[in-house]
Every structure is written in C-alpha cells, then in structure tokens.
Amino acid sequence: MALLTVILMLWAVIIILKSKPENPGFYIENTLPLRGLLAVLIIVHHVSQRLTYGCPDTYWCRILNQFNTWGYLIVSVFFFLSGYGLMKSYIQRKEDYIAGFIRKRTTKITTPFIICIVVYALLDFCLYGNKIDLSLEAWRLDCPLLPNSWYVIAIIIFYLAFYILGRVQQKERRLIVSFFAFTLGYMILLNLFGFKRYWWFTTPCISFGMLMAYNEARLAPVFAKKKTCISVVSLLWVAINISDLQYYLHTVDEFTSIMFSIAKSLCFAFFVFVCITISGFVRNTILRNLGNISYEIYLVQGGVISLLFPSVIKYPFVYFISTVLRSIIIAYLLRKISKQIII
C-alpha cells in the first residue's frame, strides 16, 4: 500500500498548495473522469492478482503487484458514487424518479450483465469445457455467472432495495436510515452464510454516499474554508494509514480486522469526495470517455482476464496493456449493443 499512500499524500499536497481550484464540486464533469480512472485501476488490480502466481520477478511485475490490495478501496468509491447519485437524483425528482427507476436505472445494469453472462458461458464451455457452478460454495467466493461480478450482484440488490424503500419512505432522512438498516442486515446475513468479506464490507459506502448527497448543502460552507479543508484532508490521510495497522498487529482478531477495513474504505471514499469537492478533478477526454463505459469495463474485464490468461507470462507489462485494451474495446461494443436493446 506504499504506492497508494504516496499518491494520496501528493494529492493532498496539491490541494493545499492550490490557491484557486479550477473546477471544484462533486458533479458529473469531475466524477465521470474519476469513474474512467477507477475502471482502469480495477483492471490493474485484477491483473496484479493474477501476476502473483507464475510471474517472473521483473521490474514491471513488481510495479503491478503494488495494486494487489487496491480492489476494495476502488470498489468503495464506486459504491459511494452509486449512493451519492441515487440520493441526488431522488432529492431532485422524488416520486418521478422512483416511478421510472426500474426501467431507467435497473435495465441499464441488467441488460449488459445478461449479455456478458451468455457470451462468457458459451466461450468458457467451447474453449475449456467449463460449466457454470451454481453451488453455494461458488457463490461464497464470487458470482459464478461471470468472474469478478459480485459487485454487480450487490449493486442490483441495493438498487432494488432503494426502489422498494423509496416507495415506502418518502422523506430523505428516513430513506437513508432505512437503507442503512438494510445494508447492515445484508452484511450480517452474508457473513453468517460464509460469503467472502469483499461481498459486503465495502457496502456501507453506498449509505455514506447517500448521506453526503443529503448534507451537501450543509457541508458547502465547511468546504469553503481552506484551513478546515486542509485539516480534514490531512486527518483523513492519517486515518487511512492508521487503519493499515491491522497488517502489522498480528494479534488482531477477525472482528477488529473487519472494523479496520470498513473504516478504511469509508475514510478513502470520503477522502476522494472531499478532494474533488474542494479542488475538482482532472479534465481529460480519454478518462471522460472511459467513464461513460466504466460499468461495461468492470463487467468484461473479469471474463477477459479469465479466458485469456496464459499459463506462463513472459512479459507482464505487455500482458497488462493488451488486457486493458481488449477490455476497453469489448466494453465499448457492449455499450453499443446494450443501448440498442434497451431502446
């Protein structure tokens, strides 16, 4: 995590030194390029996990291995963005937003997901003779329908929960409290059934994103004060690094370790939120375009890595670049096909 610590520190220093931020605010012009960057980073993370086994000890392999533990932090920001977007849209449109929620939001998630499942299952069977394992043990590890797609299943569940609760609870505050209660129940249930920790321990970031959207106007005067912002960013950076103590305290029990991980994911998501709110994010056309297909990139990258992972990797950097490019191209095509079906 040393690389991440340095990157966050540099980001904090840039914010402190910036006298006049160009594009402050947590709105789509800043969050879309962020999504694009996160989509690429999730590929890097999953590639780095594969390179842990059977990869030569080369310079590029050591660099890529730095991203081995980034996954849950990246997902925590994705969850935060989802919660923030849900609440922001609900505040603006309320009943109209809930009324058209299933058709407008849920189908955009499920349609490309179903396409990916069908294509992946056919290719996996034709190339390797593998069949889908729907046992509980397979579900505990990941969504067996598509590699690395547990996040998509979680998003679908939480979107449906938001829709149901939104029809019952009209007031924003009650909706947030009800949603948090559902999240807590989801976490407890999956833990009891033995699902891997990554299935559930970053999900509080959805409720946290909703809470930040609800209180955004109240937080605006706070973020307008530079000294306060510097203090907040600095404290969050310290909190993120303190949570890493679990890796050095060998006597930490499982519950404490879970609490450390949840705290770190929340602090990291809040760090990103604060930094973008007070200083904006890089305006880049490439990242913006990648942001438009970030969900599709997340969907296809697991299948690309799984189907095209060679037994021996001689050139890790070449493999990484080819995986990123393949994922982006397939994601772009998937986006085009999905839009035609949804329309």
Side-chain angles (χ1 to χ4, degrees), residues 110-122 145-146 296 299-300 330 334:
T110 55
T111 301
F113 185 39
I114 293 170
I115 294 172
C116 283
I117 291 172
V118 173
V119 173
Y120 175 78
L122 290 173
L145 304 174
L146 189 67
E296 286 78 8
L299 274 179
V300 306
I330 296 171
L334 176 62

Side-chain angles (χ1 to χ4, degrees), residues 16-265:
I16 292 170
L17 295 178
K18 259 188 176 181
S19 57
K20 293 181 180 180
E22 295 177 4
N23 307 299
F26 204 74
Y27 46 85
I28 193 166
E29 284 77 7
N30 287 323
T31 59
L32 201 58
L34 173 65
R35 286 181 180 274
L37 177 61
L38 294 174
V40 174
L41 287 177
I42 206 68
I43 301 176
V44 180
H45 164 67
H46 286 137
V47 167
S48 72
Q49 288 185 321
R50 290 292 184 123
L51 293 179
T52 302
Y53 309 99
C55 179
D57 186 21
T58 62
Y59 174 76
W60 285 112
C61 200
R62 287 194 293 271
I63 291 178
L64 290 172
N65 282 341
Q66 287 287 319
F67 297 88
N68 210 323
T69 56
W70 284 36
Y72 77 97
L73 296 176
I74 297 169
V75 170
S76 69
V77 180
F78 271 127
F79 275 141
F80 182 92
L81 288 168
S82 296
Y84 179 89
L86 287 174
M87 198 64 205
K88 196 75 174 176
S89 298
Y90 181 77
I91 290 171
Q92 293 171 352
R93 289 179 280 171
K94 295 209 174 174
E95 289 84 359
D96 292 337
Y97 180 65
I98 292 297
F101 187 81
I102 295 295
R103 181 176 59 85
K104 293 181 180 179
R105 292 298 295 267
T106 310
T107 53
K108 290 181 180 179
I109 295 174
T110 55
T111 301
F113 185 39
I114 293 170
I115 294 172
C116 283
I117 291 172
V118 173
V119 173
Y120 175 78
L122 290 173
L123 289 175
D124 198 29
F125 179 76
C126 293
L127 294 174
Y128 304 108
N130 296 328
K131 296 181 180 179
I132 297 176
D133 179 9
L134 295 177
S135 66
L136 179 60
E137 188 59 37
W139 279 98
R140 285 170 176 161
L141 296 174
D142 188 12
C143 172
L145 304 174
L146 189 67
N148 301 329
S149 64
W150 66 267
Y151 165 81
V152 182
I153 297 295
I155 280 292
I156 293 172
I157 292 172
F158 280 99
Y159 271 31
L160 290 175
F162 179 85
Y163 170 73
I164 294 169
L165 294 172
R167 294 188 69 89
V168 176
Q169 300 287 356
Q170 298 296 323
K171 294 185 177 181
E172 293 93 343
R173 188 177 298 178
R174 290 182 179 178
L175 176 58
I176 294 172
V177 172
S178 301
F179 194 88
F180 177 75
F182 173 83
T183 303
L184 188 61
Y186 171 89
M187 295 169 68
I188 293 172
L189 186 65
L190 264 63
N191 187 39
L192 289 175
F193 276 92
F195 280 69
K196 288 292 184 179
R197 190 184 297 182
Y198 50 74
W199 264 98
W200 49 267
F201 80 94
T202 54
T203 54
C205 291
I206 308 177
S207 300
F208 190 45
M210 292 171 65
L211 185 64
M212 290 300 102
Y214 176 69
N215 290 291
E216 191 172 32
R218 298 179 182 88
L219 292 171
V222 178
F223 292 141
K225 301 174 182 178
K226 187 167 184 179
K227 288 184 179 180
T228 305
C229 293
I230 292 172
S231 301
V232 170
V233 171
S234 302
L235 286 173
L236 285 171
W237 183 83
V238 171
I240 290 169
N241 287 280
I242 287 177
S243 63
D244 280 337
L245 286 174
Q246 63 172 310
Y247 302 112
Y248 304 101
L249 300 175
H250 301 293
T251 57
V252 171
D253 57 73
E254 184 179 0
F255 178 78
T256 306
S257 177
I258 291 171
M259 291 298 103
F260 267 123
S261 298
I262 292 174
K264 182 168 184 176
S265 64

